[in-house]
Amino acid sequence: MRDFDFINSTRIIFGRKSEEKVGDILKGYGFKKIMLICGQNSVKKSGLFDRIVCKLKEAELDFVEYSGISPNPELRFVEEGLGIAKQYKPDCLLAVGGGSVIDVAKSICANYFYDGHPFDFNLKKAVPTKTLPLGVVLTIAAAGSESSDSCVITEPSTKNKTGFNHPLNRPLFAIEDPELLFTLPKFQIAVGVADMMMHTMERFFGVSDGNMICDEWALALLKHEVENARIAYNNPTDYEAQAALMLDSSLSHDGLTAIGKIKSPFVVHALEHAVSGYKTDVTHGAGIAICYLGWAKYVYKKDLKKFAALSRKLFNIEEQNDEKAAIIGIEAMRDFYISLGIPTTLREVGITESDLPELVRLASCDGTRVIGLYPQPLNESDIKAVYALCL
């Protein structure tokens, strides 16, 4: 086990109607001016936005609204929100939504005290030294951004979708009411599960020194997600299943399942970021599922033991030969995605062979970048081969 320094400072307020506490929670921290950030339509159509506003007013908190953030958020949302924040001067930002809304809020918080370009952190040209506090009311179990140190934004002129990690990115608190998931479309439930699972799988496939407890945690968490995904997909109002997925989302991306491991880039995420950066209407969770299947087919022989262990744990595969178990498991994962209505090929999301050179260029940064670390780093030719398997 490697040395590590781990803390997750995000407070999670979990349970039915927990969003009704938002005013008191904010007031309890001493905040007076709140910048309220949300997405395009669903939060307002569901009535959640009005309920949040009511609670802010009851707590006698001043607030300004910034809404309209789209999935796979572009840098312009950060720039627009930053302008509002600089003028309004909030004590705290409150993100009501999922990963896209939360990541825009994180970027605004980090850039509020920074005088450089708002994409500098994503390009690793600078690191934040101070941020505004951020609270979250979570509306989808997926990205795990509510408890992670990650912030992903797309720069549209270059189609560069990339993130930066820093402890200051972790929200101060996250309010999680599983009943808010009851009205989600089934597709959103499904791709959310694919996303949260990959956060754990990326860590599971990292270098392990011996029998590491974090790998056991990862397998147990993944099994829990698979079981509850099937229940929630077929019955979206099943409270226990949705509660399980909401908490799983937070646990999958808080870093716990990577304790004691070498920190390595998320290879499947890097492959997917090129996909949804290039074609912004591709839902991140769908792109993740597609890229995982191609990547797994390409690298599974490099760590048969782990691929076999994943297969046996998630899908109860009894095959004793590791290579056969690994192959069966990859197909079982594909069948699992299909059972939830998730696309499993690039062609299903409108990407054909003619698009591959641009995907390879984006993922490899014009051939200058090697992505991943374990079980195999991927150079430009490897990336091309993986995408070909994704078709």
Side-chain angles (χ1 to χ4, degrees):
M1 184 176 293
R2 311 303 169 100
D3 297 343
F4 63 87
D5 184 344
F6 174 79
I7 184 171
N8 187 343
S9 56
T10 303
R11 172 189 175 193
I12 295 179
I13 302 99
F14 192 98
R16 289 182 174 91
K17 309 303 180 186
S18 53
E19 70 275 12
E20 295 182 359
K21 303 174 184 177
V22 65
D24 291 336
I25 291 169
L26 289 165
K27 196 169 184 178
Y29 283 112
F31 301 134
K32 296 179 180 179
K33 298 181 69 178
I34 311 301
M35 183 171 170
L36 179 59
I37 302 179
C38 63
Q40 294 176 311
N41 296 308
S42 59
V43 169
K44 292 188 175 181
K45 286 182 178 180
S46 70
L48 176 61
F49 181 83
D50 288 340
R51 297 202 304 275
I52 296 295
V53 166
C54 180
K55 294 303 175 182
L56 296 182
K57 290 179 178 179
E58 286 180 3
E60 299 180 334
L61 297 171
D62 190 56
F63 67 93
V64 66
E65 174 191 343
Y66 176 47
S67 59
I69 295 165
S70 66
N72 292 322
E74 296 180 350
L75 182 60
R76 64 185 176 89
F77 292 113
V78 177
E79 294 171 325
E80 291 170 4
L82 193 57
I84 294 171
K86 290 288 184 72
Q87 183 176 7
Y88 179 67
K89 296 179 173 57
D91 301 319
C92 177
L93 272 66
L94 180 66
V96 182
S100 297
V101 173
I102 298 169
D103 280 7
V104 168
K106 285 181 176 181
S107 188
I108 294 170
C109 287
N111 279 285
Y112 185 80
F113 297 103
Y114 178 64
D115 293 329
H117 193 277
F119 206 59
D120 281 354
F121 299 136
N122 299 73
L123 293 177
K124 313 300 187 290
K125 292 182 177 180
V127 295
T129 57
K130 183 180 180 181
T131 67
L132 281 171
L134 171 63
V136 172
V137 178
L138 188 63
T139 61
I140 182 171
S145 191
E146 67 276 3
S147 64
S148 80
D149 65 357
S150 176
C151 173
V152 178
I153 301 293
T154 299
E155 203 293 299
S157 66
T158 60
K159 298 182 179 179
N160 184 7
K161 180 178 180 180
T162 187
F164 74 98
N165 295 73
H166 195 279
L168 290 175
N169 280 339
R170 294 193 191 272
L172 179 63
F173 67 85
I175 293 172
E176 303 187 11
D177 175 5
E179 290 186 343
L180 298 180
L181 309 183
F182 285 4
T183 57
L184 285 175
K186 285 191 172 186
F187 182 72
Q188 292 300 320
I189 295 172
V191 294
V193 168
D195 190 8
M196 74 175 76
M197 287 180 66
M198 195 53 55
H199 291 145
T200 300
M201 289 162 69
E202 296 267 36
R203 292 175 169 95
F204 174 72
F205 283 113
V207 178
S208 301
D209 297 333
N211 186 20
M212 298 185 68
I213 191 170
C214 61
D215 282 350
E216 298 300 321
W217 292 338
L219 288 172
L221 187 59
L222 288 164
K223 179 71 170 179
H224 196 243
E225 289 163 353
V226 167
E227 291 174 346
N228 285 283
R230 291 186 171 117
I231 298 171
Y233 183 78
N234 291 309
N235 183 8
T237 59
D238 187 301
Y239 181 86
E240 293 302 328
Q242 294 285 27
L245 292 179
M246 187 168 249
L247 184 56
D248 289 345
S249 167
S250 299
L251 295 175
S252 289
H253 206 17
D254 67 358
L256 191 63
T257 54
I259 278 185
K261 288 190 171 187
I262 295 174
K263 184 174 177 61
S264 61
F266 278 21
V267 58
V268 178
H269 274 73
L271 291 166
E272 193 290 321
H273 285 169
V275 171
S276 55
Y278 172 68
K279 195 172 188 300
T280 57
D281 62 344
V282 176
T283 303
H284 174 63
I288 279 290
I290 293 165
C291 290
Y292 169 73
L293 293 173
W295 173 79
K297 291 173 186 175
Y298 190 72
V299 305
Y300 77 93
K301 290 185 180 180
K302 301 291 184 179
D303 196 342
L304 288 174
K305 184 177 180 181
K306 277 204 170 180
F307 275 98
L310 184 73
S311 302
R312 292 173 183 133
K313 181 68 174 182
L314 266 59
F315 303 113
N316 302 316
I317 293 168
E318 297 180 357
E319 172 61 55
Q320 295 303 302
N321 178 276
D322 283 352
E323 182 167 1
K324 290 180 180 178
I327 294 170
I328 295 170
I330 294 169
E331 289 304 306
M333 185 70 80
R334 176 181 174 274
D335 292 343
F336 170 69
Y337 290 149
I338 291 173
S339 74
L340 299 182
I342 301 172
T344 57
T345 67
L346 288 174
R347 285 192 174 90
E348 290 176 74
V349 295
I351 293 176
T352 66
E353 191 170 359
S354 64
D355 298 305
L356 295 194
E358 181 63 8
L359 292 186
V360 174
R361 186 191 71 78
L362 289 170
S364 69
C365 294
D366 293 307
T368 65
R369 177 192 186 196
V370 174
I371 62 175
L373 175 65
Y374 187 86
Q376 175 186 339
L378 303 180
N379 60 26
E380 187 177 17
S381 62
D382 295 317
I383 293 168
K384 181 179 179 180
V386 170
Y387 282 137
L389 290 171
C390 294
L391 284 171

